[in-house]
Amino acid sequence: MRKTLSLAAVVTAAAGLVAVPGVSSAGTPKPEVQWVTCPADVALPGLECGKLQLPLDYREPRGRKTEVMFSRLASKNPGKRKGILLTNPGGPSEGLTFPAVLKAVGLPQSVQDAYDVIGVDPRGIGYSSPSTCDMTDEQMADGSVPPYANNSAEVRQRAGEVRKIAEQCLNSSSADELPYNTTANIARDLDSIRAALGEKKASFLGYSYGSYLGSVYATLFPKTSDRVVIDSNLPKGGWDVEGGRLMGRGVEDTFPDFAKWAAAHPEHGLGTTPQQVRAKFFDLAARLDEKPSVEGLDGRTFRLLTFTGLYGTGDAAFAKLAASWKAFDTGQPQPPQDYPEVPRVQALLAGRLHVICGDSAWPTSVGAYERNVAVDRVRHPMFGAAAANIQPCAFFPKPLEKQVLPSDRGPRNVLLVQNERDPATPLAGARSTRRAFGDRAAMITIDQGGHGAYVLGKNKCANDKVTEYLLGGQRPDDLRCAAETS
């Protein structure tokens, strides 16, 4: 039976609600872990899986429950074990396999010895009581980042499309869980995992969206959060309307790295100077807007593929992006892409919408997005008119809880790690979070591009400093790591 979440019901519930800080365990039943066999696609070497029944609404700890699944990559060295390291890969998205991913990409053995590394599917996502918005294949194809809007008419057209998605979310079988699937409650779930595992404190490592989750965790739980490392940082408000708009700036910051590389590799036919490569971008976008490719891909898709292509850096990532451009330019099919199964995309996108729309109040006027798009199309012409375009959040109910912002009250235990050029979470947003934490935080900035720094970015200076902090607890002061050519 479908459950409809009416706007009136949400407004009524919100009327008497006060902001809920980190909820004390006093009076709350201690959650008990149910250890289970990991799902087949999560059953990686060394991983164990557990489930917890946690409060859907932490104001009613003995009320209705939601199921949260987590994984553990346990330390094999009891003599060096310090505790647990909660992790989040960003998204919001599934995180059960993330401990194994970190191990595979080079998480230092010393960190694996020091911590049981914990991965979590956040509530509403993956194997944790998954959400749905009953999206069609066409709706899912647009993903989480809006399409580029060439004019106000396209913003209004998109408004009609995302209003439909919002209505589907509010009338879905998981609609009654929607107001509670927020970052604040995910942070409370993390602290419940800590308690269930019998740990007095927990450290944290999170990337991208996980940077905001880490900020909220450190803010709500200053006494039980230990060493907090947040990487590829969203601004202080997380993925709200302004955080989303920053992607336009991120592409402008990061694209020169690709343009320089492409100019040095003229065999791809994209230009022999960075200026020519940039001009090729606008030429291809305009041509595809006018006439889509042989596969029906238009300028919106080209811009989005360029945006995601800038997540990586170096020869392999840039060669893949250049091959995609060349296919567009010559009228050939796109190189093969790996896509997840449709049911997983459905749960992922629905769960992500629940979180970002429930964390903060988005503008409800379509005209506000028309103005934002018009400004950002000029200010950040490559991608600004996509990043500023309207989201389904414009048609979601008002959040039940006040937006959680980083607090400068608490221990000096937060370390930000940030590439200076990042397409999705640019340096400007990281500086916003760094300022909000005040003396609680320090930030390592790295002269490199791409999305993801610690371990993923391969910069020895940054990697060594983060590892030293996780192992020794001595947080460095603000510092800048130079680019490395090796």
Side-chain angles (χ1 to χ4, degrees), residues 323-345:
S324 175
W325 276 37
K326 188 173 183 178
F328 278 121
D329 193 29
T330 59
Q332 300 300 310
Q334 284 292 302
Q337 303 286 341
D338 293 325
Y339 297 108
E341 297 176 5
V342 168
R344 302 293 288 276
V345 176

Side-chain angles (χ1 to χ4, degrees), residues 70-223:
F70 68 93
S71 65
R72 178 172 67 183
L73 184 65
S75 167
K76 305 301 184 188
N77 195 328
K80 294 185 177 180
R81 185 185 181 278
K82 298 179 182 295
I84 62 172
L85 179 66
L86 302 164
T87 66
N88 183 275
S93 60
E94 302 161 348
L96 288 181
T97 61
F98 197 48
V101 170
L102 286 171
K103 179 179 180 178
V105 299
L107 184 69
Q109 187 60 50
S110 57
V111 176
Q112 296 179 53
D113 290 341
Y115 294 97
D116 294 347
V117 184
I118 308 297
V120 183
D121 275 2
R123 56 168 61 200
I125 295 175
Y127 289 102
S128 293
S129 296
S131 307
T132 182
C133 287
D134 298 320
M135 293 187 196
T136 65
D137 290 351
E138 184 178 5
Q139 288 171 330
M140 288 188 288
D142 278 341
S144 299
V145 180
Y148 191 94
N150 286 290
N151 49 55
S152 291
E154 291 184 4
V155 178
R156 293 192 294 273
Q157 177 183 342
R158 180 65 178 167
E161 295 168 356
V162 298
R163 183 191 292 273
K164 176 65 174 174
I165 293 174
E167 290 172 351
Q168 291 167 200
C169 293
L170 298 173
N171 288 281
S172 73
S173 58
S174 57
D176 55 348
E177 300 174 8
L178 185 151
Y180 309 104
N181 289 354
T182 63
T183 298
N185 280 331
I186 294 170
R188 296 176 182 118
D189 293 342
L190 293 182
D191 204 58
S192 295
I193 293 172
R194 172 202 60 77
L197 293 175
E199 302 288 338
K200 291 184 178 180
K201 289 190 174 185
S203 294
F204 179 89
L205 171 64
Y207 297 77
S208 194
Y209 160 78
S211 70
Y212 180 59
L213 175 58
S215 294
V216 173
Y217 181 59
T219 297
L220 295 183
F221 297 98
K223 294 182 179 180

Side-chain angles (χ1 to χ4, degrees), residues 239-299:
W239 192 349
D240 57 10
V241 65
E242 292 305 320
R245 289 179 73 182
L246 273 180
M247 295 177 188
R249 177 167 181 174
V251 171
E252 298 287 348
D253 289 348
T254 311
F255 185 78
D257 287 353
F258 172 68
K260 181 178 178 181
W261 182 93
H265 293 79
E267 65 271 17
H268 294 286
L270 306 181
T272 57
T273 68
Q275 293 79 11
Q276 289 177 353
V277 177
R278 182 177 174 90
K280 174 66 78 173
F281 171 88
F282 291 106
D283 173 62
L284 284 173
R287 283 163 49 191
L288 291 162
D289 281 338
E290 182 71 23
K291 182 181 179 181
S293 72
V294 292
E295 298 163 300
L297 304 179
D298 59 11

Side-chain angles (χ1 to χ4, degrees), residues 28-33 51-58 60-70 120-123 128-129 185-196:
T28 303
K30 181 180 178 180
E32 294 185 4
V33 178
K51 292 181 179 180
L52 288 171
Q53 303 300 317
L54 299 177
L56 180 65
D57 180 355
Y58 275 90
E60 299 181 3
R62 297 180 183 272
R64 183 180 168 187
K65 305 299 182 184
T66 188
E67 185 171 88
V68 174
M69 180 175 275
F70 68 93
V120 183
D121 275 2
R123 56 168 61 200
S128 293
S129 296
N185 280 331
I186 294 170
R188 296 176 182 118
D189 293 342
L190 293 182
D191 204 58
S192 295
I193 293 172
R194 172 202 60 77

